[in-house]
Amino acid sequence: GAVVSQHPSWVICKSGTSVKIECRSLDFQATTMFWYRQFPKQSLMLMATSNEGSKATYEQGVEKDKFLINHASLTLSTLTVTSAHPEDSSFYICSAPGTGDSGANVLTFGAGSRLTVL
Amino acid sequence: AQSVTQLGSHVSVSEGALVLLRCNYSSSVPPYLFWYVQYPNQGLQLLLKYTSAATLVKGINGFEAEFKKSETSFHLTKPSAHMSDAAEYFCAVRSSFGNEKLTFGTGTRLTIIP
């Protein structure tokens, strides 16, 4: 079945530095990928939609300059947290519409990346 | 706009007992509904989905859910709980047409009592 790989799974960085998280669709192509953010014991909040070959679409309240998204190819989307601060510490999860068993564009999720900013 | 409400942020059941996790949705168009499970520090795994076909949907790990339009509900059930079912469960909805963005409920943490 469809597999989405995220890297790194864990990252710790110093405040003020930038961190890049990669999201890859391993056995299928994805023209669209979705980036979610999850705070501890809370639900997933959609941050942005990554579009291959065009600009990402950000949800209301998400800082475009803080969370840079690049959909470099049909199998790779990256999220860069720029000038990270402790409040950016969170669990970031990407997903892509995969070719699920039913063919109903079921979202396949990566395993997530936990960012801790010191 | 679509939304889902999960009643009960925490549910505890004894091993072997019935599992019932509640989800109600709001949608102005026929919805697609999903249940996902999340284990600690992991991403989400699809349990099952409703996409306007059969109203009773069977998923993985013995879970099933029934779409009830009159009640705007999509509750998740499993006849007999297993220790391995302990996890966070999310109900989600998306428009049946348009893009594939999902809106998630707040989640229900399922604890299994030995």
Side-chain angles (χ1 to χ4, degrees):
Chain A
V3 177
V4 172
S5 174
Q6 262 186 262
H7 178 80
S9 55
W10 295 82
V11 57
I12 301 173
C13 70
K14 293 182 179 181
S15 183
T17 61
S18 295
V19 174
K20 179 184 287 188
I21 300 170
E22 292 186 347
C23 179
R24 294 181 184 271
S25 55
L26 294 188
D27 50 1
F28 65 101
Q29 295 181 334
T31 57
T32 302
M33 290 185 178
F34 301 96
W35 287 95
Y36 289 85
R37 181 175 183 177
Q38 185 181 31
F39 290 103
K41 299 183 180 180
Q42 294 188 29
S43 189
L44 284 75
M45 299 300 296
L46 180 65
M47 298 175 64
T49 302
S50 172
N51 304 298
E52 191 271 336
S54 64
K55 293 182 179 180
T57 306
Y58 290 82
E59 296 299 303
Q60 190 174 9
V62 177
E63 299 177 62
K64 300 178 182 181
D65 296 333
K66 159 72 82 176
F67 300 101
L68 299 180
I69 291 174
N70 180 32
H71 202 131
S73 72
L74 288 171
T75 59
L76 174 63
S77 174
T78 60
L79 167 67
T80 301
V81 183
T82 63
S83 187
H85 289 90
E87 57 266 29
D88 298 325
S89 299
S90 190
F91 195 52
Y92 294 89
I93 308 175
C94 71
S95 67
T99 53
D101 293 344
S102 70
N105 283 330
V106 173
L107 285 185
T108 299
F109 285 81
S113 299
R114 182 164 300 285
L115 170 63
T116 300
V117 185
L118 302 177
Chain B
Q2 292 80 38
S3 67
V4 289
T5 302
Q6 291 183 243
L7 297 177
S9 58
H10 291 85
V11 171
S12 296
V13 301
S14 297
E15 188 176 16
L18 171 70
V19 175
L20 171 60
L21 305 182
R22 300 178 185 275
C23 173
N24 287 90
Y25 70 90
S26 173
S27 177
S28 57
V29 297
Y32 283 2
L33 293 159
F34 304 81
W35 274 100
Y36 283 87
V37 61
Q38 184 181 32
Y39 297 99
N41 296 311
Q42 295 187 28
L44 276 70
Q45 180 182 6
L46 179 69
L47 277 177
L48 49 79
K49 63 185 181 295
Y50 167 76
T51 57
S52 74
T55 56
L56 181 62
V57 182
K58 294 186 183 297
I60 62 172
N61 302 339
F63 285 94
E64 63 181 36
E66 185 173 9
F67 173 74
K68 292 187 176 180
K69 184 177 179 179
S70 62
E71 299 178 7
T72 61
S73 68
F74 190 58
H75 302 330
L76 181 70
T77 61
K78 182 175 181 177
S80 178
H82 191 271
M83 295 301 294
S84 60
D85 295 327
E88 188 87 18
Y89 292 80
F90 292 96
C91 182
V93 62
R94 79 168 176 89
S95 173
S96 58
F97 47 87
N99 62 37
E100 296 106 337
K101 288 196 296 185
L102 286 181
T103 300
F104 285 87
T106 51
T108 298
R109 180 168 299 276
L110 177 64
T111 300
I112 309 299
I113 304 168

